[in-house]
Amino acid sequence: MLLGSCAKNTTTSQSSTASNQQQEASVEAGIEQVSVTQTSPPQVLKEEQDFQYVMDQFADLRILRYRVPGFEQLSTQQKELLYYLYEAALSGRDIIYDQNFKHNLRIRRTLDAIVENKRDKSTSPDWEKFMVYTKRVWFSNGIHHHYSTSKFLPEFSKAFLAESIKKVPAGQLPLQKGESVDAFIAWITPVLFDPNVAAKRVNQVAGQDLVATSAGNYYEGVTTKEVEDYYAKITDKKDPRPISYGLNSKLMKENGKVVEKVWKVGGMYDAAIKRIVFWLEKAIPVAENEQQRLALQKLVQYYKTGDLRTFDEYNIAWVKDVNSNTDVVNGFIEVYGDPLGIKAAYESVVSFKDQEATKRIKAIGDQAQWFEDNSPLLPQHKKKNVVGITAKVITTVVEGGDAAPATPIGINLPNANWIRKEHGSKSVNLGNIVKAYNEAANTGGSVLTEFAFSPEEIERSKKYSSLASDLHTDMHEVIGHASGQINPGVGTPKETLKSYASTIEEGRADLVALYYAMDPKLVEIGVMPSIDAGKAEYDGYIRGGLMTQLSRIELGETIEEAHMRNRQMVAAWAFEKGKKDNVIERVTRNGKTYFKINDYQKLRGLFGQLLRETQRITSEGDYNAAKNLVETYGVKVDQTLHKEVLERYSKLNIAPYAGFIQPKLTPVVKDGKIVDVLLTYPTNFTQQMLEYGDTYNFLPHYN
């Protein structure tokens, strides 16, 4: 879900090198252990009322925790498997920092060193501002906002930064060979403080060179045209099963020639990927069954070779693993961080199935062909045979890379259209993550009461919004991303729709969910008690798409993040197209703006029309139509309304974004074998980030 120029450094700081050596020792021993004779294991909270969800709030962020119910009831083998997958997930932490910005690892290591050397809990204004900035870097995996991708600036002084750096022993700073502390300060200061240096991680402004103006580290020294020409030359357009060209590499120039630096063992990110592979190989012998074992073996093979054909083989094996209780997403997955939608960020989600909650999402997946047959898509764009959709609710154990601390609430993979068509997909709802969000929403002021139009709308939302949100996520992932088909001979969306592919795809999946949210079929199959739940989803979607999501961007900015673009695009298009019949009414009351839905059935019809069009755009590869739709409805912001939303939202004392402290797994070892795994819930975000920085610190400053 992004360029700079600097000489490569092949060594980490002395402190991180020492940490790596210690980690090597523990890895070679197998695991970090808790003795089986331990008499006071870490406390595991069992009662819901004992659990605190909200742990911290700063800037526009809240730090939450999530519970992992049912972990203690898993078998020892399943716990051991989850522990190895947990370590593999966290071992790739350095990768996402480096992917997000070339200098992020040096910056993070500097901030970590300052915090480690100043534990007197100073209450000086500059120190407090420094800690807010540092926690923002940890939260965003770098110096750019995790959602808007704009660079956020320190509020402490440059003098304070220089003073703090000088207090750290030079051996603990990420200095280049021969670099003095003063030279280092002179380098890092503008990188942090100058708003014109690396201003945007992902630039999506039409008409600009998106690659050259994006600060992400997927490209270096190349232009958008050079990237497009490179992949156009190597892409086999006649291949009915195309690989995901460029998914796992950095594209850059060496000696004037464009080359790919593949992320694999022996390639770019070697040290971190070796560690990921180490833990995956330990997981293979304790896999639940042969199909899961095959998938893990293919994943290891892919990491070792970097071969994208092998990645496809892994995805097919992973999709076919439908009987395992445990599961993992691990790899270079989503492309939102690349302005061209080609290269993928590292992420991992480790989980096990929530058997009871899965009944709801499975009921939807079981009817996938009915939903496809009855959709408003043009006949030629419908799948005649929807295959292999596996739908479940999962209990998340740990998240890593681009999935943490901010996390998805739903996942549908794999992303390759031909694999979806021939082999199916897995759609999941992250049940305990959604639960934590809902619990946290009960604290602080109420966005609902501030922005909802009427008492009836508020009451309907209180009664149904949690279920409606779950159903939207279920349908978005299960029947949304999995629906429709591309016309023969038309390239993949990233080839045809380019920078607009992600927004169109997310909008298409949302529209499937919205169209069916008001369908009696959901009541018939027992997943929704009343059509009123669908009305609650419509209320919330229009309210969010036209108003409340504007709290996430600064006044004067346009919308660039794909999910935000898609939500405004859908809501604004429906608002405009429904004006003649007053389907959605803009109301001003006591100086405040509201959007009131007057006809839910007509709104459903509008959603169906836009769904048909977004599928046509995707199926036919209509770039101009995609550009027109996104730029007209999804990008520009009503500045007067935006100012009003920010003023109203600020009075609620609610941070618009949230992310999580991760649970901690610790194996209990007897006679060299794991006999149990303890799961605990850390409470301190700063402490966890420092521990991660020490334990999973594998890559050199520059890669």
Side-chain angles (χ1 to χ4, degrees):
M1 13 164 128
L2 296 158
L3 271 106
S5 172
C6 193
K8 291 188 177 180
N9 178 26
T10 57
T11 60
T12 58
S13 66
Q14 293 180 18
S15 59
S16 62
T17 300
S19 168
N20 287 350
Q21 291 171 346
Q22 293 170 0
Q23 179 69 1
E24 286 283 357
S26 70
V27 168
E28 291 305 319
I31 43 181
E32 294 179 9
Q33 304 174 6
V34 171
S35 169
V36 74
T37 60
Q38 176 177 299
T39 57
S40 301
Q43 182 182 8
V44 179
L45 296 177
K46 291 182 169 58
E47 300 298 329
E48 178 67 34
Q49 59 266 29
D50 294 336
F51 196 81
Q52 182 179 349
Y53 285 91
V54 182
M55 304 308 298
D56 196 1
Q57 181 166 321
F58 50 88
D60 58 353
L61 307 170
R62 284 208 288 184
I63 301 298
L64 313 178
R65 297 189 302 168
Y66 59 89
R67 295 182 68 245
V68 189
F71 181 84
E72 290 78 12
Q73 284 70 53
L74 297 175
S75 70
T76 300
Q77 179 181 337
Q78 289 171 327
K79 290 180 182 179
E80 182 177 1
L81 173 63
L82 290 171
Y83 170 69
Y84 295 143
L85 298 176
Y86 158 95
E87 289 288 355
L90 296 175
S91 292
R93 181 175 184 249
D94 277 356
I95 295 175
I96 189 61
Y97 275 86
D98 192 78
Q99 288 181 316
N100 283 346
F101 181 46
K102 182 169 185 173
H103 304 302
N104 268 339
L105 287 173
R106 284 187 91 190
I107 293 167
R108 190 198 75 200
R109 287 162 180 161
T110 302
L111 301 177
D112 286 3
I114 292 172
V115 176
E116 289 279 16
N117 281 272
K118 191 176 176 67
R119 288 182 171 272
D120 57 359
K121 297 184 179 179
S122 169
T123 57
S124 75
D126 264 334
W127 176 252
E128 293 176 1
K129 293 174 182 176
F130 172 82
M131 284 307 304
V132 168
Y133 179 81
T134 299
K135 288 190 283 188
R136 294 187 75 183
V137 171
W138 290 331
F139 189 98
S140 296
N141 297 312
I143 66 171
H144 297 88
H145 195 280
H146 76 287
Y147 207 83
S148 74
T149 79
S150 294
K151 178 181 172 180
F152 48 84
L153 301 177
E155 296 185 4
F156 54 86
S157 67
K158 296 177 183 178
F160 176 82
L161 176 65
E163 176 188 351
S164 299
I165 289 174
K166 288 179 179 179
K167 289 181 179 178
V168 177
Q172 296 177 22
L173 292 171
L175 303 178
Q176 298 277 60
K177 184 176 180 180
E179 185 179 32
S180 68
V181 173
D182 286 338
F184 174 68
I185 292 171
W187 168 81
I188 197 173
T189 300
V191 176
L192 268 55
F193 285 89
D194 189 337
N196 298 312
V197 174
K200 195 81 174 172
R201 177 164 61 86
V202 187
N203 181 29
Q204 294 282 9
V205 177
Q208 297 183 8
D209 188 319
L210 303 185
V211 168
T213 57
S214 295
N217 196 25
Y218 294 127
Y219 307 100
E220 187 170 341
V222 292
T223 65
T224 298
K225 185 178 186 306
E226 287 173 321
V227 174
E228 292 176 344
D229 288 348
Y230 177 87
Y231 286 112
K233 185 177 180 179
I234 67 172
T235 298
D236 181 359
K237 297 190 182 327
K238 296 181 180 179
D239 188 351
R241 300 178 180 87
I243 61 172
S244 301
Y245 293 95
L247 188 76
N248 63 335
S249 67
K250 177 178 178 177
L251 201 68
M252 61 189 299
K253 277 186 178 176
E254 285 187 348
N255 300 318
K257 183 180 179 181
V258 178
V259 297
E260 277 189 306
K261 297 292 186 180
V262 179
W263 308 325
K264 64 174 183 175
V265 172
M268 191 170 172
Y269 302 141
D270 169 71
I273 294 176
K274 278 182 178 175
R275 199 58 52 93
I276 295 169
V277 166
F278 173 87
W279 291 110
L280 291 176
E281 288 183 329
K282 292 188 77 67
I284 290 170
V286 291
E288 292 189 54
N289 51 59
E290 285 303 316
Q291 189 61 43
Q292 186 180 58
R293 185 172 295 111
L294 174 63
L296 291 172
Q297 288 170 338
K298 287 291 184 182
L299 180 57
V300 166
Q301 184 182 353
Y302 161 62
Y303 270 133
K304 287 182 176 181
T305 64
D307 187 337
L308 288 167
R309 291 286 179 197
T310 303
F311 181 63
D312 287 342
E313 293 172 2
Y314 155 68
N315 279 309
I316 294 168
W318 179 76
V319 164
K320 291 181 178 179
D321 177 21
V322 297
N323 295 318
S324 300
N325 188 36
T326 56
D327 206 350
V328 63
V329 172
N330 187 298
F332 305 109
I333 309 295
E334 301 292 356
V335 298
Y336 302 110
D338 177 359
L340 302 186
I342 297 173
K343 302 187 176 301
Y346 171 78
E347 71 171 77
S348 186
V349 177
V350 179
S351 66
F352 58 91
K353 188 184 294 186
D354 183 331
Q355 300 287 354
E356 185 60 33
T358 291
K359 294 176 182 177
R360 180 194 73 237
I361 194 171
K362 184 178 183 298
I364 294 171
D366 288 346
Q367 296 291 328
Q369 190 66 59
W370 184 93
F371 288 115
E372 186 80 354
D373 292 343
N374 289 275
S375 76
L377 304 185
L378 294 171
Q380 64 268 32
H381 297 156
K382 295 182 182 181
K383 287 180 178 175
K384 303 302 184 287
N385 182 28
V386 179
V387 300
I389 293 181
T390 303
K392 60 183 178 180
V393 177
I394 62 172
T395 299
T396 306
V397 176
V398 73
E399 297 172 298
D402 200 38
T407 168
I409 58 174
I411 297 171
N412 179 274
L413 292 171
N415 285 326
N417 285 299
W418 72 266
I419 296 180
R420 292 175 185 272
K421 182 178 180 180
E422 296 184 17
H423 301 280
S425 60
K426 282 185 182 179
S427 296
V428 301
N429 179 305
L430 283 66
N432 57 332
I433 296 293
V434 174
K435 165 78 170 175
Y437 276 132
N438 290 339
E439 291 293 332
N442 294 327
T443 65
S446 173
V447 176
L448 177 64
T449 55
E450 176 60 36
F451 290 96
F453 172 73
S454 66
E456 292 79 13
E457 184 179 329
I458 293 171
E459 185 58 33
R460 185 164 54 231
S461 179
K462 288 180 177 178
K463 186 174 183 180
Y464 294 114
S465 65
S466 180
L467 172 62
S469 178
D470 282 344
L471 287 172
H472 180 102
T473 301
D474 294 347
M475 291 188 290
H476 175 107
E477 302 296 347
V478 177
I479 59 175
H481 286 307
S483 69
Q485 62 183 1
I486 295 174
N487 291 356
V490 175
T492 63
K494 74 176 181 180
E495 294 167 2
T496 58
L497 307 184
K498 302 180 181 180
S499 62
Y500 299 104
S502 292
T503 297
I504 294 296
E505 175 58 23
E506 292 304 319
R508 193 182 67 84
D510 264 2
L511 285 160
V512 172
L514 290 167
Y515 182 75
Y516 284 114
M518 288 284 293
D519 199 301
K521 183 71 171 181
L522 298 185
V523 179
E524 177 188 321
I525 63 177
V527 299
M528 189 170 75
S530 164
I531 291 295
D532 281 348
K535 291 182 178 180
E537 180 58 24
Y538 279 22
D539 292 336
Y541 196 91
I542 295 301
R543 189 167 60 241
L546 294 180
M547 282 199 300
T548 56
Q549 75 166 1
L550 296 178
S551 64
R552 296 183 162 197
I553 60 175
E554 299 291 332
L555 187 63
E557 292 183 347
T558 57
I559 298 174
E560 296 195 44
E561 199 279 331
H563 297 81
M564 284 187 69
R565 280 186 168 189
N566 106 249
R567 283 190 290 267
Q568 179 172 289
M569 177 187 76
V570 170
W573 186 95
F575 175 63
E576 180 180 295
K577 299 303 180 183
K579 278 184 177 179
K580 180 181 177 181
D581 296 325
N582 201 26
V583 176
I584 304 171
E585 183 179 0
R586 180 169 175 164
V587 180
T588 301
R589 186 177 62 203
N590 298 324
K592 295 181 178 181
T593 301
Y594 302 89
F595 287 90
K596 174 178 176 284
I597 299 174
N598 292 319
D599 193 322
Y600 290 89
Q601 287 300 330
K602 284 187 176 180
L603 180 54
R604 186 192 182 203
L606 290 170
F607 286 147
Q609 292 176 35
L610 187 55
L611 170 58
R612 184 186 301 116
E613 174 61 6
T614 54
Q615 183 61 59
R616 184 199 67 78
I617 288 171
T618 301
S619 297
E620 298 177 2
D622 191 340
Y623 173 82
N624 289 331
K627 178 180 179 180
N628 182 62
L629 183 61
V630 175
E631 293 291 340
T632 302
Y633 297 101
V635 177
K636 300 183 178 98
V637 175
D638 179 332
Q639 296 301 313
T640 301
L641 179 60
H642 190 189
K643 181 179 179 182
E644 178 193 327
V645 168
L646 292 175
E647 290 173 349
R648 291 166 67 181
Y649 206 100
S650 66
K651 298 174 183 177
L652 302 176
N653 192 34
I654 300 176
Y657 302 98
F660 292 90
I661 299 172
Q662 301 299 317
K664 183 174 183 177
L665 299 190
T666 308
V668 180
V669 179
K670 181 179 181 181
D671 298 329
K673 294 183 179 180
I674 292 179
V675 296
D676 198 6
V677 177
L678 302 177
L679 184 145
T680 54
Y681 301 100
T683 60
N684 189 303
F685 181 60
T686 295
Q687 182 178 338
Q688 182 165 86
M689 292 298 96
L690 292 175
E691 289 177 356
Y692 282 3
D694 183 58
T695 306
Y696 304 105
N697 192 23
F698 301 130
L699 294 182
H701 305 321
Y702 295 107
N703 296 273

